[in-house]
């Protein structure tokens, strides 16, 4: 029911960073509750921080969010624009918000997008953050939406690869995303029954990996090795797709799977092939878990805006949706604790 005594706000919504299944579910929940319960108005900013920076927007009303719950990607578009790397970036954002009559912003993103939101809040912008990333590496929240979908996609790929590995007596190396956190590799590897899982959180010994692979062949059961894109061999280096840095200073990872397959083939004498799952992990429709999580985060985000609870990120803690200071959420990356990795190690090589 509309609460008519409240002041109507005009609220901007943006999605930044890598796209992720569930973004549209958040936008839908924010707009549906914002309009129907509170009577607020919305404007969609296009392509992450580029939208408010350049004044690029689109209408965002209930009709615009119908039917988008199961849709992957983001109807608002995304980019990795960093306004703090652009001359007068903050002033331009403030001017454009004022020009469009925007009172508050809901920023949906990962460490970079929410890092910008944190700084803008400190500079007086009314902002609330919603955590998203398939990498699941944001602090202060147990899960980010997109992660469950990515893990399920990777698990299904591993299930399918088992049959080829067995039929052809090959090692199959599956390279998954996750940047500097091994959550996708750990969960997909555990769920898919991988023979070995390699994470960025612990450097691996390629001789030991080859030993696990040999053992699997002895059991007449072909090995699947899951390697996170940010995993590194002992005394080796992270393998990069290229040397360029994005505007947040990130390298583009990729290639460790191919390197590892070559090493394993040379050491075991058995054919080894690589499958790089890449952006397939970010594409398509979100799982039920991610749709529900994204929806609940969106509902809490619009409540926070309605109450003027600025500088907060909505988060999942246990089964509750809570609010935490944005600064706390973006302070450090949430990586896989080594004791969690030890649980998986029980299955290596056996
Ligand atoms: O942060 C999400 C993510 O998919 C990472 O897992 C990956 O390293 C990165 O984004 C890839 O970014 P891009 O799509 O810009 O190459």
């Amino acid at each position: 029911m509309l609460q008519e005594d409240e002041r109507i706000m005009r609220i901007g919504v943006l999605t930044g960073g890598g796209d992720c299944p569930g973004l549209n579910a958040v936008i839908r929940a924010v707009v549906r509750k914002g309009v129907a319960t509170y009577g607020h108005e919305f404007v969609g900013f296009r392509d992450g921080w580029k939208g408010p920076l350049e004044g690029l927007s689109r209408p965002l009303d209930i009709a615009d969010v119908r039917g988008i719950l199961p849709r992957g990607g983001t109807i608002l578009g995304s980019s990795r624009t960093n306004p703090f790397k652009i001359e007068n970036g903050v002033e331009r954002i403030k001017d454009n918000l004022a020009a469009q009559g925007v009172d508050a912003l809901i920023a949906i993103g990962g460490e970079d997008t929410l890092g910008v939101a944190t700084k803008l809040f400190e500079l007086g912008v009314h902002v609330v953050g919603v955590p998203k990333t398939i990498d699941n590496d944001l602090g202060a929240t147990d899960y980010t939406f997109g992660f469950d979908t990515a893990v399920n996609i990777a698990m299904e790929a591993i299930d399918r690869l088992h049959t080829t590995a067995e039929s052809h007596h090959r090692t199959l190396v599956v390279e998954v995303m996750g940047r500097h956190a091994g959550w996708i590799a750990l969960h997909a590897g555990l769920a898919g029954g991988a023979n070995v899982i390699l994470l960025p959180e612990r450097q691996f010994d390629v001789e030991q990996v080859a030993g696990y692979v040999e053992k699997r062949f002895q059991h007449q059961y072909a090995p699947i090795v899951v390697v996170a894109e940010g995993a590194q061999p002992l005394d080796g280096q992270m393998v990069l797709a290229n040397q360029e840095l994005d505007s947040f200073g990130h390298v583009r990872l990729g290639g460790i799977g191919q390197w590892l397959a070559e090493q394993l083939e040379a050491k075991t004498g058995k054919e080894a092939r690589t499958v790089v799952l890449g952006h397939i992990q970010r594409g398509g429709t979100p799982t039920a878990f991610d749709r529900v999580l994204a929806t609940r985060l969106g509902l809490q985000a619009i409540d926070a805006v309605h109450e003027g609870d600025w500088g907060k990120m909505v988060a999942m803690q246990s089964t509750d949706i809570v609010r935490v200071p944005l600064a706390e959420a973006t302070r450090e990356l949430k990586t896989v604790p080594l004791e969690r990795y030890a649980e998986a190690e029980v299955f290596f090589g056996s």
Side-chain angles (χ1 to χ4, degrees):
M1 171 108 52
L2 199 61
Q3 295 163 6
E4 286 172 10
D5 53 330
E6 306 283 355
R7 191 177 76 84
I8 292 174
M9 279 193 252
R10 189 164 158 78
I11 302 161
V13 183
L14 65 85
T15 53
D19 72 327
C20 171
L23 286 167
N24 288 324
V26 179
I27 298 167
R28 169 181 174 268
V30 161
V31 174
R32 288 282 285 269
K33 185 165 188 184
V35 173
T37 305
Y38 299 128
H40 294 315
E41 294 169 2
F42 291 87
V43 54
F45 282 109
R46 294 184 189 274
D47 301 340
W49 290 113
K50 191 172 176 210
L53 188 75
E54 298 183 10
L56 307 172
S57 64
R58 53 160 280 174
L60 197 58
D61 207 340
I62 288 192
D64 300 301
V65 300
R66 286 213 196 284
I68 66 170
L69 175 62
R71 207 189 300 167
T74 159
I75 59 165
L76 298 178
S78 193
S79 73
R80 296 193 188 279
T81 306
N82 183 354
F84 287 91
K85 286 282 162 65
I86 291 166
E87 214 181 325
N88 300 323
V90 175
E91 288 71 26
R92 283 169 61 188
I93 287 181
K94 285 184 171 179
D95 289 350
N96 282 323
L97 294 181
Q100 300 212 20
V102 171
D103 304 294
L105 268 181
I106 294 182
I108 312 167
E111 52 157 333
D112 299 329
T113 304
L114 297 184
V116 170
T118 308
K119 289 196 222 163
L120 287 177
F121 164 66
E122 286 159 4
L123 295 169
V125 177
H126 292 164
V127 59
V128 165
V130 180
K132 74 84 222 185
T133 165
I134 63 163
D135 303 341
N136 198 37
D137 60 356
L138 267 171
T141 185
D142 292 350
Y143 283 101
T144 50
F145 64 84
F147 171 66
D148 186 64
T149 307
V151 167
N152 274 286
I153 292 168
M155 177 194 74
E156 197 189 320
I158 295 166
D159 286 349
R160 288 172 189 275
L161 292 168
H162 267 290
T163 54
T164 299
E166 284 156 34
S167 306
H168 291 267
H169 315 289
R170 284 175 185 156
T171 303
L172 278 173
V173 177
V174 185
E175 181 182 306
V176 297
M177 282 185 163
R179 205 167 254 164
H180 305 299
W183 292 108
I184 298 177
L186 180 71
H187 281 229
L190 269 174
N195 183 36
V196 193
I197 304 168
L198 305 172
L199 310 184
E201 286 81 353
R202 204 172 79 195
Q203 291 189 324
F204 63 87
D205 175 356
V206 72
E207 294 293 343
Q208 190 184 32
V209 178
Y212 290 140
V213 165
E214 295 274 20
K215 218 161 150 200
R216 255 286 163 101
F217 278 120
Q218 285 159 19
H219 296 157
Q220 304 287 317
Y221 195 56
I224 305 279
V225 178
V226 174
V227 60
E229 61 181 356
Q232 281 183 63
L234 276 173
D235 306 322
Q237 287 189 342
M238 220 171 303
V239 183
L240 307 182
N242 64 40
Q243 301 299 319
E244 279 170 34
L245 299 182
D246 70 15
S247 71
F248 289 93
H250 297 299
V251 289
R252 190 178 322 155
L253 299 171
I256 184 70
Q258 184 56 35
W259 179 87
L260 184 60
E262 285 163 15
Q263 296 286 317
L264 293 176
E265 188 165 304
K267 288 183 195 304
T268 64
K270 295 267 183 0
E271 187 181 7
R273 297 277 194 94
T274 313
V275 175
V276 181
L277 294 183
H279 293 97
I280 289 171
Q281 293 158 99
R282 294 209 316 235
T285 188
T287 58
F289 180 90
D290 280 338
R291 293 182 200 191
V292 173
L293 175 57
T295 299
R296 293 182 69 207
L297 290 170
L299 295 175
Q300 182 72 225
I302 189 60
D303 286 350
V305 169
H306 183 71
E307 290 165 27
D309 198 3
W310 314 123
K312 294 289 166 54
M313 182 187 88
V314 293
M316 184 187 199
Q317 294 187 353
S318 181
T319 53
D320 296 325
I321 305 296
V322 299
R323 299 176 200 167
V324 296
L326 264 171
E328 188 187 310
T330 52
R331 196 167 297 135
E332 62 182 45
L333 277 192
K334 182 184 70 189
T335 52
V336 176
L338 289 181
E339 58 275 19
R340 286 291 304 275
Y341 188 51
E343 293 173 359
E345 275 181 303
V346 171
F347 301 95
F348 292 3
S350 59

